[in-house]
Amino acid sequence: MALLFQYDRENLLVYQFGYAKATQLQALRVALSSAPSSERTAVLKHFGQQHGALLVEERTPVLFNMQSFIPIETEHSGHPHANQETEPPEFRPVSPPNTRGLIQEQELSPSFLNLETYLKKMLGDETRVRIQPQQSLLWIRFSANENFYWAGFPSPETLEMHDFSSRTLFLVLIVIGLLGLSAFALARYITQPLAKLASSVNMVGRGEYPSPLPVSGPSELMALNRGFNAMMIHLKQVDADRAILLAGVSHDLRTPLARLRLGVEMNIQDQSELKIMIEEIETVDRIIDQFLDFSRTDSESKSLLQDITPLIAACVARYRHNNLDVRFTPSPNFPSLLIRTAACERLILNLINNALSHGKPPVEISTGFNDKVAWIDVFDHGAGFPKENRERLKAPFQRGSEARTVEGNLGAGLGLAIVDRIVRLHHGKFDLLNAPNGGAHVRVTLPLPPG
């Protein structure tokens, strides 16, 4: 682009100069044609003074030494040498020279070659252009009245300066471009490890374990990545120890609970008292189940593209089999999602358990989607969620207010925390809301798969 601009600008300046000189010489040609021969010298002298030009008449095919490009003093000429000239440029007739060698022509630049082509088109094929660099003159040969003349004009230095400035600008642009590419490469060299680190941090926030970061790049980033990798190893070990602890405690608790239930059923005759004790044992058993669910990370399981509608329907069927009022309204043409099946099953069961334990039936489940996300809505007819407690309730071991707790259904406060962890594992969003007509509204939003 810069080269094209330079070329067009250069040609424009050449044509401006050429047009001006061609117009002047055409006017001189007309004046010489109409003037008597005795007045032609005066016409040439007037033109030279008016335009600052040096004019000489060519009387033989070889007139000038093109190396110095000044009129050659001959044996027949009574005029002084041009180097001794102190008068303003004027017309001087020159006699045929007595040449003693070949004339060498000054090589022209592309700009002046274009100028010569243009002047030939305007003044005729006999037109020639030569440069006299020592005196900064540009000579143009033209014909008038079957005679040939050379007109020396001050060299168009603006063109030469433009050539120099254009080349300089082009080189500056190249240097700036190289510096910009170098800066971009350096910035990418520094920021790419930071981008990987930021992505890994986001994965940790969703409950996933990213792959170890490469220990490369600047020394500061190497130290940062090395520390992050060590932290991830420690977190994995902590999670593994926690899972083993919770699983062991849950297993050890379930064995005496099973014995306790068997002893109660065999020894207590009062049916009402038996029912109460069995319900208490079942409550402890549900709390143990929550501990086990919370200890599972699910980060190692693979996501599969599948329709979640049958999974929700199967979960609802379990509760309806036990005469619990849980209803499901699936959305037609619901898209398949990338989900971890076991984790999503626990998500749905915990949402229904939360609605039954802390709300009032019926529990209504529905699905929906748009062009970007899909969602699962769970409604109950209880007291709803206090606005100031909604985020707090997503944390582990947090219970709602007494208004949202059904008598005898106290839990460990892990149900919504389990849901929140599973939703983050699926890159989704988990919102606790209130229904317009009263009751709690829980919405789980999951992204649609790409493509």
Side-chain angles (χ1 to χ4, degrees), residues 285-318:
D285 197 49
R286 283 196 301 270
I287 293 174
I288 293 173
D289 285 338
Q290 285 190 336
F291 274 107
L292 287 173
D293 286 345
F294 189 72
S295 66
R296 297 187 182 99
T297 61
D298 295 297
S299 58
E300 302 300 328
S301 61
K302 292 184 179 181
S303 297
L304 300 176
L305 186 64
Q306 56 184 303
D307 186 0
I308 200 173
T309 301
L311 186 63
I312 299 175
C315 293
V316 170
R318 296 186 195 177

Side-chain angles (χ1 to χ4, degrees), residues 370-392:
N370 55 27
D371 57 343
K372 294 182 179 180
V373 297
W375 56 85
I376 303 170
D377 289 322
V378 179
F379 298 89
D380 66 49
H381 294 76
F385 296 107
K387 189 173 182 180
E388 64 276 8
N389 291 338
R390 291 177 184 175
E391 291 304 315
R392 180 182 65 83

Side-chain angles (χ1 to χ4, degrees), residues 41-54:
T41 300
V43 171
L44 292 170
K45 182 176 181 180
H46 175 73
F47 180 88
Q49 292 174 342
Q50 182 179 5
H51 297 287
L54 178 65

Side-chain angles (χ1 to χ4, degrees), residues 221-445:
L221 289 175
M222 290 175 62
L224 184 61
N225 287 355
R226 192 179 292 112
F228 181 84
N229 291 339
M231 181 190 71
M232 289 309 304
I233 293 174
H234 179 69
L235 286 178
K236 282 185 178 180
Q237 188 61 46
V238 168
D239 278 349
D241 293 343
R242 182 187 62 181
I244 292 173
L245 174 64
L246 290 175
V249 170
S250 300
H251 178 270
D252 291 343
L253 286 175
R254 275 200 164 139
T255 301
L257 279 177
R259 293 174 182 169
L260 180 60
R261 180 166 183 169
L262 179 61
V264 166
E265 290 178 346
M266 292 180 63
N267 297 316
I268 297 179
Q269 304 298 324
D270 188 347
Q271 293 299 316
S272 60
E273 186 177 352
L274 176 62
K275 182 179 179 182
I276 292 173
M277 295 190 70
I278 290 177
E279 287 177 353
E280 293 295 333
I281 293 172
E282 290 177 348
T283 299
V284 176
D285 197 49
R286 283 196 301 270
I287 293 174
I288 293 173
D289 285 338
Q290 285 190 336
F291 274 107
L292 287 173
D293 286 345
F294 189 72
S295 66
R296 297 187 182 99
T297 61
D298 295 297
S299 58
E300 302 300 328
S301 61
K302 292 184 179 181
S303 297
L304 300 176
L305 186 64
Q306 56 184 303
D307 186 0
I308 200 173
T309 301
L311 186 63
I312 299 175
C315 293
V316 170
R318 296 186 195 177
Y319 292 91
R320 296 186 65 85
H321 180 73
N322 293 323
N323 297 320
L324 296 172
D325 194 358
V326 181
R327 307 170 186 177
F328 176 41
T329 306
S331 174
N333 304 316
F334 193 75
S336 296
L337 303 174
L338 278 172
I339 60 173
R340 293 170 169 87
T341 307
C344 283
E345 182 180 10
R346 291 202 307 277
L347 178 147
I348 297 163
L349 293 175
N350 274 281
L351 287 177
I352 298 175
N353 284 335
N354 182 80
L356 292 173
S357 300
H358 305 286
K360 292 181 180 180
V363 175
E364 299 172 346
I365 303 175
S366 61
T367 55
F369 66 97
N370 55 27
D371 57 343
K372 294 182 179 180
V373 297
W375 56 85
I376 303 170
D377 289 322
V378 179
F379 298 89
D380 66 49
H381 294 76
F385 296 107
K387 189 173 182 180
E388 64 276 8
N389 291 338
R390 291 177 184 175
E391 291 304 315
R392 180 182 65 83
L393 292 175
K394 297 179 185 178
F397 307 108
Q398 297 294 325
R399 295 189 180 92
S401 63
E402 294 183 0
R404 272 196 55 81
T405 302
V406 178
E407 185 178 356
N409 281 333
L410 289 173
L414 292 174
L416 296 181
I418 293 170
V419 172
D420 184 58
R421 174 182 290 184
I422 295 173
V423 169
R424 284 189 284 111
L425 188 64
H426 287 81
H427 312 285
K429 185 180 178 185
F430 176 41
D431 294 306
L432 301 179
L433 309 169
N434 287 328
N437 298 325
H441 173 200
V442 176
R443 168 165 287 190
V444 171
T445 306

